Amino acid sequence: MSPHDRWLEMVREHPELHAFLSGLRPGEVLSGTVAAVENFGVFVRLDDGPAHPSYPGAGFVTIPDLSWRHVGDPSDVVAVGQRVSGAFLEYDTWQMEARMSLRALKPDSRRRDRPGAAQGGAG
């Protein structure tokens, strides 16, 4: 089965999920509960929208999108049952999930901007 045929089958079998995901806009804030923490990312059961047919949640956060700092283990940042909010990045049509970023809603802790600090170049 081609990827396109697989996607069409998923859309036919889960029209509510497809309608929900395709209606989201980049930057929209999604909230939910951490449903599973894996070594490759975090599944989020979203407050709005239908459940995912095979994953613990229809929202997914990759490790780089958990925090501005380096994350070796996602469980250092979130735990199952924790409430989270993140910015919607894109509709992953292959997995039928909402890709999210928790770090997008937090200030970049790596920036060292301070009042009175020199900005760029020699001074």
Side-chain angles (χ1 to χ4, degrees), residues 20-97:
F20 171 73
L21 294 171
S22 62
L24 296 172
R25 298 292 168 249
E28 186 174 339
V29 176
L30 302 176
S31 296
T33 304
V34 173
V37 178
E38 304 291 343
N39 63 355
F40 52 87
V42 175
F43 289 98
V44 178
R45 188 171 298 114
L46 299 173
D47 292 342
D48 298 320
H52 195 281
S54 49
Y55 299 135
F60 186 76
V61 184
T62 62
I63 292 172
D65 282 307
L66 286 171
S67 174
W68 285 106
R69 64 181 173 80
H70 173 76
V71 175
D73 182 349
S75 64
D76 291 340
V77 180
V78 296
V80 171
Q82 180 179 341
R83 298 281 306 151
V84 296
S85 292
F88 173 70
L89 300 175
E90 66 179 343
Y91 171 11
D92 179 340
T93 57
W94 181 253
Q95 302 296 334
M96 265 188 114
E97 62 193 13

